[in-house]
Each structure stands twice: as C-alpha cells, then as structure tokens.
Amino acid sequence: MTAPAKAQIVIPVHNRRETTHACLERLNQLGVPTWAGVIVVDDGSTDGTAEMIQAEHPWVQRLHGHGQLWWTGAIDLGMREAIRNGAECIVWLNDDVLPDAGALELLVEEALMNQSVCGAVCRGGNEIPVAYAGGVMRNLWPHPVRHIQGTAPAPVEWLHGNLVAIPAVVWRRCGLPEARHMPHNLADISYTLDAHRAGIPVRLLPGATALATPNDTASYWSWTDPRIRPWNLLSGLWNVKMWWYMPGVAWFQAHHSGWRAVPVLAFLILKLLLWILLKSLLPARALKQLNTIIGCKSARQ
C-alpha cells in the first residue's frame, strides 16, 4: 500500500529522550521518511532530546517550544508548520506509541480516500488489548470503547490523539485544536468530536495497530484510586496535567453541551467533594477495598 506524499506526522515531545529516540527509530525502520514528513515539536526539553534528534535523525524537522506548550500547544504549532509544508493529511503521533508495519500508511490512505478522521487501535500489551482508541458520548461525557470486534472500520464520535490521521477538510472546517482552554487533556477528544459533529466521518481502523505505553500517573488515575490523596484531588482542579483540570473540563462541556453542561459540572464538583471527604475520613485499607468493589462493578458493566 502506497501512501500519498503530502502526509506530515506531528510528534509532541518533552524530556523523554529515550522514548522519543525509540519512536523515531521505529519510524525509520518502517521507511516512513521516504513518504512522509516528520515534525517533532520539542517543548523545551533539557535532557538532550534536541541534540539526539540532530545527531541521529537528521531527516526530522524540529520545532522548539518554551516549555509551556503542553500537548495541545505543541500539536497546534506542529499542525501549523505541516500546513505550511503543504500537508493534505496530518498524523498525530505520541512518542510513546510504536506503530505496527503498515499502520501509518493505512491511516493516511483511508483518511484521504474517504475524507475521514482515522484512528489506530493502540494496545497496551498482552493484558491491555485496547489502551487508546476512541469512543462515544454518553450522558454528555466521553466513554471509550473497550472491545473492538472484526476488522472493518468502526464509526465512533471521538478519538484519542495517540495515533490519528486528519485530512485537510477537518482543519479547513473546524480550525485547529483549542490550546488556550484545553492545554493538555480533552483537546484530542474535543477536536475529533468537533469533526464528527461537523459531518466528517470519524472512524477506528482495527487494521491500523500500535503498541502504546499506558499512562499510569496521577493525571489519569480514577478518584477512587487509593494512591490519590485528598489534597491531590483538590489541587487537580487547577493542575493542567490532571484530567479534571477545571478550566479545561468546563470549556469542553460548555463548547459541546451548552447550558446542559451546568448539571454535569455541578455533579462533577459534588462528586469530587464527596471523595475528598471520604479520603479524609476513611483509612487506607477501607479505601482500597472500596476501590476494588467499584472496579469489579465497572468491569461487569
């Protein structure tokens, strides 16, 4: 399968030299530089990432940030450069994702052929068959798909931004991702959801696969997780890295749900306060048991 020449891959990175190196090595091994441009947006890394790219991967176009771009700002900067380069399709690729052979070509070809946003299925290892993919909106909140059956492209409402191909029709109709209000989390979901609601097909391609490193940090932990303490929950309201960063959540809800977002946000805050109270009063053992019960219930559902 031959991919069109005007594909540009945008990779945001920050202080993950070895992870970035492994990703670029993978692209080189797959022969990606022969048919696609690769743009690495290095957001102020201080660990030798820039020097490594310059010395070992001279085929990469490097852009530099000031250290405060976060994911969305880096993607925005990279997409603008890709558009200046004449891109007809832009691929988002996180540096902790290693595409399987043929995955990038399939994503780009399908995105351009069908003028659709196409996402890969990123597995997290043998025990996590679907780590990052996409999902639907339910009760005004994004819910990821956990199981993907068959090999045919599957329509969804939004995609995780780990490995996604975006044709030019998307940025011409929807602009670029919202970096001001959603600097890190939810921006990938919001942008692909915008495309879906603008009438552009958004699809998961089971034939396009990759290996991803699941993000097991406080930024993505459930509030029920015993590792999160009450002050972590409270400070997360204004911590850009946390999924419940309130300016981002509020903008996402207002943008996509309008006035219907009010009860959703109210419920979210009340739920947060309840968990702060529980974590302040219950011993660690009780919290661990509660987390196990809730986890089992979620798995059954």
Side-chain angles (χ1 to χ4, degrees):
M1 185 175 294
T2 302
K6 291 191 176 180
Q8 298 276 314
I9 301 172
V10 175
I11 309 174
V13 307
H14 176 71
N15 278 343
R16 299 201 296 193
R17 182 182 183 278
E18 295 308 316
T19 299
T20 302
H21 174 68
C23 180
L24 296 177
E25 278 292 302
R26 180 62 172 166
L27 296 185
N28 201 26
Q29 292 166 3
L30 293 174
V32 171
T34 64
W35 61 265
V38 177
I39 301 170
V40 170
V41 183
D42 178 12
D43 189 22
S45 294
T46 57
D47 63 347
T49 293
E51 292 78 7
M52 176 271 295
I53 294 173
Q54 183 176 10
E56 301 183 41
H57 307 284
W59 44 272
V60 170
Q61 181 180 359
R62 294 176 294 123
L63 301 180
H64 300 281
H66 45 63
Q68 294 298 319
L69 290 177
W70 299 98
W71 184 87
T72 319
I75 285 290
D76 175 272
L77 182 62
M79 288 184 71
R80 291 178 187 276
E81 182 64 19
I83 293 168
R84 283 192 289 269
N85 291 347
E88 295 176 1
C89 181
I90 295 173
V91 178
W92 294 346
L93 174 62
N94 283 0
D95 65 347
D96 57 358
V97 172
L98 302 177
D100 292 329
L104 287 163
E105 291 91 335
L106 179 60
L107 288 169
V108 172
E109 187 161 297
E110 288 288 328
L112 288 175
M113 183 183 302
N114 299 295
Q115 292 298 288
S116 59
V117 184
C118 295
V121 177
C122 299
R123 64 192 184 280
N126 294 331
E127 297 181 359
I128 310 177
V130 181
Y132 304 104
V136 298
M137 295 295 290
R138 192 163 63 238
N139 297 324
L140 307 184
W141 195 256
H143 288 262
V145 296
R146 299 297 185 187
H147 304 284
I148 299 171
Q149 298 178 342
T151 59
V156 291
E157 295 182 54
W158 57 265
L159 294 166
H160 288 126
N162 303 69
L163 180 51
V164 176
I166 303 165
V169 63
V170 179
W171 62 80
R172 289 171 183 160
R173 192 175 300 179
C174 302
L176 296 174
E178 171 54 51
R180 179 181 177 185
H181 298 98
M182 291 183 295
H184 199 61
N185 289 312
L186 290 174
D188 51 350
I189 294 174
S190 181
Y191 190 65
T192 52
L193 181 59
D194 275 342
H196 166 74
R197 292 182 172 175
I200 301 168
V202 178
R203 307 189 303 168
L204 275 174
L205 303 186
T209 57
L211 178 63
T213 303
N215 195 323
D216 186 26
T217 64
S219 307
Y220 294 89
W221 290 343
S222 164
W223 290 347
T224 65
D225 196 302
R227 291 173 292 181
I228 292 188
R229 307 310 302 158
W231 56 87
N232 298 136
L233 289 176
L234 188 60
S235 63
L237 288 170
W238 58 86
N239 186 336
V240 171
K241 296 183 69 174
M242 300 302 183
W243 68 261
W244 62 96
Y245 171 66
M246 191 48 60
V249 171
W251 194 94
F252 177 89
Q253 286 293 337
H255 178 65
H256 293 289
S257 305
W259 64 268
R260 294 181 300 163
V262 174
V264 175
L265 292 171
F267 175 76
L268 188 69
I269 293 173
L270 287 174
K271 186 178 178 180
L272 177 68
L273 294 175
L274 174 61
W275 275 107
I276 290 175
L277 181 63
L278 288 174
K279 286 177 176 286
S280 300
L281 298 177
L282 295 178
R285 180 178 297 178
L287 286 172
K288 188 173 182 179
Q289 292 174 342
L290 181 59
N291 186 51
T292 301
I293 294 171
I294 293 174
C296 290
K297 181 179 179 182
S298 299
R300 289 195 298 270
Q301 293 175 341

